[in-house]
Amino acid sequence: MLTSFQLTAIMKNSNGTPLLRIPMHQALQTTLMASWHEQYEAFKGNISEVDFAPGYNPEGDERFRLSAFELPDWLANEDITTISNLNSISQHEDNFELIRAIAAFVRIDNHELLLFQNFTRSHVIRPIRSIFLMNGNYNTRTRPGLTLDNKLAAVYFVQDSKLLFRSFRTTNTFLPLDDFYREASESEIRSILQHERLAPENTNDIAAFGRTQWFRKRFAMLRDSGILDDYSAQAIQGHSQNYDVNIQLNGDSIVFPAEKPEAKRLLQFLNEEIFKGAITDTLYETNSKREANSD
């Protein structure tokens, strides 16, 4: 069983540390500790660890493994004893949409672990939009709340610097995994541009972008994300509203621009690397506080 349990929220594009403390009553802490232990057993038990390989989709009983993963400083500098020093999430109720994951600092058999759950906007409980049965009648809350997931997305073993996770795409939203991604070659970029969902304006000019590491990595991420396979061109265009990206269609395909700035913005959008601030609607590049429309 877990012998310690401290819950935190990982925020994207927040001021100061991206980590906020989730204060809990003792009874709730005890209940959640038991639940998260069950989730850990389900995540870790009877599974095979496979070294992370872009493009490979792990089976239900497999977990990707990164054997030498260094946590970002804002996370590596914290442990169970320091969580009480973090700012409370209760001071940031208007920013719950910025939460990207819930992280639990725990000890199992005297080993420190970090357990991660994925978190999306759908996990935010908003007053008026949610009603609860209270004393025989339905009522709403006056303050927002959080819905926790029922399974773990990733586990980090502190002593071994080992990260296990189910999905690159999900885990990359709250932990920086880009450096572990193999870049696409020029020939691979040309192959990606032949996807039925894409209609490149000029394949030669676009493939030449692959001389830069940024484009090689993003084309590889696009290839392996499954976005182009899972969504129609019309659906992708529909999701682009208010994200300052001009998606043009040629039949059932997305026109891939030959101009570098437009190509960069399209790749950022397709790889879900453009983020909108919940309050100001300002667009940001994920993993930074730099505005997406800055040079």
Side-chain angles (χ1 to χ4, degrees):
M1 284 293 294
L2 309 184
T3 57
S4 299
F5 184 82
Q6 298 290 336
L7 208 58
T8 63
I10 297 176
M11 314 288 285
K12 279 289 186 181
N13 301 308
S14 61
N15 293 322
T17 176
L19 203 62
L20 296 176
R21 174 174 53 91
I22 300 179
M24 298 173 286
H25 289 293
Q26 181 63 47
L28 176 60
Q29 185 179 34
T30 300
T31 300
L32 288 180
M33 184 162 58
S35 173
W36 281 60
H37 181 80
E38 292 178 359
Q39 294 177 40
Y40 170 74
E41 292 294 334
F43 181 93
K44 187 65 173 64
N46 298 319
I47 58 98
S48 298
E49 299 179 10
V50 296
D51 289 328
F52 172 61
Y56 176 72
N57 294 317
E59 301 292 336
D61 60 349
E62 293 179 329
R63 303 288 182 263
F64 276 137
R65 175 180 60 211
L66 289 174
S67 298
F69 181 77
E70 297 297 328
L71 294 173
D73 289 344
W74 53 265
L75 193 55
N77 294 331
E78 305 294 345
D79 59 33
I80 291 173
T81 65
T82 65
I83 299 305
S84 59
N85 299 325
L86 296 174
N87 290 332
S88 171
I89 196 171
S90 61
Q91 303 171 18
H92 301 267
E93 291 182 345
D94 291 336
N95 292 329
F96 279 3
E97 286 83 0
L98 298 182
I99 300 174
R100 286 297 171 265
I102 304 297
F105 289 71
V106 306
R107 284 197 184 101
I108 298 180
D109 298 327
N110 293 321
H111 295 289
E112 290 202 14
L113 282 71
L114 285 173
L115 312 181
F116 299 93
Q117 284 186 357
N118 186 38
F119 192 95
T120 65
R121 290 188 177 190
S122 63
H123 289 93
V124 179
I125 301 173
R126 285 296 181 189
I128 304 302
R129 283 186 278 169
S130 301
I131 58 175
F132 303 89
L133 184 62
M134 302 177 185
N135 300 321
N137 295 303
Y138 282 93
N139 205 338
T140 189
R141 302 289 187 184
T142 58
R143 301 175 66 179
L146 308 176
T147 300
L148 301 182
D149 211 338
N150 60 3
K151 65 180 183 297
L152 301 184
V155 173
Y156 184 73
F157 301 82
V158 176
Q159 288 183 322
D160 299 328
S161 298
K162 182 175 72 172
L163 178 68
L164 297 182
F165 57 100
R166 299 177 188 268
S167 162
F168 172 88
R169 192 162 133 196
T170 297
T171 307
N172 195 45
T173 63
F174 55 85
L175 290 177
L177 300 184
D178 286 349
D179 289 343
F180 295 90
Y181 218 82
R182 183 178 64 85
E183 301 162 5
S185 65
E186 181 176 335
S187 63
E188 288 172 325
I189 291 175
R190 291 179 180 273
S191 177
I192 295 165
L193 291 172
Q194 292 176 2
H195 195 285
E196 63 181 356
R197 291 283 188 272
L198 297 179
E201 288 184 337
N202 188 312
T203 299
N204 290 333
D205 288 349
I206 298 169
F209 298 159
R211 295 167 187 161
T212 65
Q213 184 183 54
W214 191 96
F215 277 96
R216 291 197 303 269
K217 184 176 292 185
R218 266 63 186 186
F219 270 110
M221 292 171 62
L222 176 61
R223 175 195 60 206
D224 297 328
S225 69
I227 287 288
L228 297 178
D229 298 320
D230 296 339
Y231 295 88
S232 68
Q234 290 76 12
I236 292 173
Q237 184 188 52
H239 286 298
S240 70
Q241 302 301 314
N242 302 319
Y243 278 87
D244 194 25
V245 55
N246 183 23
I247 293 184
Q248 300 295 322
L249 300 184
N250 182 355
D252 293 329
S253 301
I254 297 169
V255 175
F256 202 105
E259 296 296 323
K260 184 175 288 188
E262 288 78 8
K264 177 180 179 181
R265 179 51 65 90
L266 177 59
L267 281 172
Q268 285 179 311
F269 177 75
L270 292 175
N271 285 317
E272 300 185 301
E273 292 187 307
I274 300 176
F275 176 80
K276 179 179 290 188
I279 299 176
T280 65
D281 281 341
T282 301
L283 293 177
Y284 298 103
E285 295 177 2
T286 57
N287 301 322
S288 77
K289 187 60 178 174
R290 185 164 68 91
E291 291 191 22
N293 60 2
S294 63
D295 295 333

